[in-house]
Amino acid sequence: MQTSTIEIEDVYKRFPDGTVALDGVNLRVEPGEFVSLVGPSGCGKSTLLRILAGLDTATSGRVSLNGHPPRAPQARQEMAFVFQEPTLMPWKSVLNNVALPLELRGVAAQERQARARQCLDLVGLSGREAAYPRELSGGMKMRVSIARALVTRPQVMLMDEPFGALDEMTRQRLNDELLGIQGRTGATVVFVTHNMFEAVYLSRKIVVMTPHPGQVAAVLEVPEPFPRDASFRASELYGRLVYRVLQILEGRPAPALPVPGGPPAHGAEHGVPA
Ligand code: ADP
């Protein structure tokens, strides 16, 4: 049986102070899928992402990336993490910031610079290689941060509210760019956001989480094909999905829907009700 890229089974996370951040979380992410974790502050989105990244561990349950535990060297090679802050080195040029993960892996200078250039091209920053972070706008810094994540050619990108600090227009532009990048690289993306509009626009699957303790309230599939463009934002489907996410977050029950091909996994909804 082929394994999913990411498998999360019955994950429970309790911090030493007694806070239960995650309780009974199950999720599978297939290769090349774009999955968002959406929900209010404190519902455990970042904790789940950090456990996937191997930056923290579950108290109980099982997590794997391509069949390996997140802290295994194979898993670490295959994933990259993008934080809300671009966290660039101010004394390094844009090119050398992007090349840094390869430098840390001992890749020769010529190759790492060539690969960094390719990634800067992918995020639309060709020509800015010699610039320093202080010369860039917030949106450009985030593009550099994404290029730096791409430079190791990860199969999985874990993104923790990467556009949360940007203005709405920049966020929407970067949403489109991220979809383009994902289409070209085929990477699997797990994307944390508290913005339900962004979650619907980007995702193939939306994992709606609720707090106290952090649980998966529902998994919504977004049946809009890729590539997507801004016209999706004006569609009825988009509006209904955003409304559905809101309803779930407000604790309104999900309607029982017949699902083609058999019953859904626990909590899953396929498509959206009228
Ligand atoms: P989100 O990303 O959805 O805002 P978090 O994963 O950051 O949520 O947090 C989930 C819950 O766990 C919250 O109640 C938060 O206060 C708590 N929490 C997060 N990190 C720690 C920690 N290191 N120690 C104790 N509690 C924590």
Side-chain angles (χ1 to χ4, degrees):
M1 189 186 80
Q2 207 198 343
T3 52
S4 305
T5 298
I6 295 172
E7 295 185 54
I8 298 169
E9 284 173 14
D10 210 16
V11 161
Y12 175 82
K13 173 66 180 180
R14 184 175 180 276
F15 286 106
D17 68 356
T19 305
V20 177
L22 297 168
D23 189 12
V25 172
N26 289 285
L27 183 66
R28 294 166 72 94
V29 181
E30 304 304 330
E33 253 185 348
F34 197 120
V35 173
S36 290
L37 309 181
V38 67
S41 282
C43 69
K45 305 181 295 294
S46 295
T47 302
L48 186 57
L49 205 69
R50 288 174 57 80
I51 291 172
L52 281 176
L55 299 170
D56 204 341
T57 51
T59 308
S60 64
R62 204 181 71 86
V63 176
S64 67
L65 275 103
N66 286 336
H68 304 290
R71 289 190 172 179
Q74 298 95 325
R76 301 191 80 87
Q77 291 279 333
E78 287 163 8
M79 68 176 143
F81 201 96
V82 177
F83 297 91
Q84 178 167 356
E85 294 299 323
T87 59
L88 305 177
M89 305 291 169
W91 61 88
K92 280 186 182 281
S93 67
V94 162
L95 187 70
N96 288 333
N97 263 290
V98 174
L100 185 61
L102 298 179
E103 191 181 338
L104 296 175
R105 290 180 183 196
V107 175
Q110 205 178 357
E111 187 188 339
R112 67 179 186 246
Q113 295 204 346
R115 278 170 61 179
R117 280 180 210 285
Q118 282 170 3
C119 293
L120 281 167
D121 188 33
L122 210 51
V123 299
L125 280 180
S126 280
R128 303 308 302 265
E129 291 85 353
Y132 283 84
R134 64 177 175 276
E135 301 170 58
L136 306 179
S137 66
M140 285 169 146
K141 284 183 195 156
M142 188 43 75
R143 286 198 187 104
V144 175
S145 170
I146 292 170
R148 182 183 53 193
L150 292 168
V151 81
T152 57
R153 298 180 181 147
Q155 286 181 29
V156 177
M157 294 241 286
L158 305 174
M159 307 184 82
D160 194 359
E161 298 226 30
F163 308 141
L166 303 176
D167 67 84
E168 192 53 33
M169 292 302 290
T170 306
R171 179 205 287 266
Q172 291 192 9
R173 209 163 43 235
L174 285 178
N175 282 174
D176 283 325
E177 288 179 13
L178 180 58
L179 283 183
I181 289 165
Q182 199 238 356
R184 271 173 275 157
T185 60
T188 307
V189 178
V190 182
F191 186 95
V192 163
T193 181
H194 59 254
N195 183 317
M196 58 199 78
F197 300 96
E198 182 174 58
V200 171
Y201 189 67
L202 293 173
S203 312
R204 164 89 185 80
K205 207 149 87 183
I206 304 172
V207 179
V208 187
M209 296 182 68
T210 47
H212 314 302
Q215 287 181 323
V216 175
V219 178
L220 298 180
E221 305 216 353
V222 183
E224 173 77 7
F226 294 95
R228 295 177 184 168
D229 63 32
S231 64
F232 177 40
R233 293 186 209 279
S235 69
E236 193 192 342
L237 174 67
Y238 179 84
R240 277 194 283 145
L241 276 163
V242 170
Y243 184 59
R244 185 72 200 115
V245 173
L246 198 65
Q247 279 183 313
I248 295 165
L249 290 176
E250 287 174 347
R252 288 190 247 164
L257 285 177
V259 177
H266 173 71
E269 291 183 27
H270 295 248
V272 272

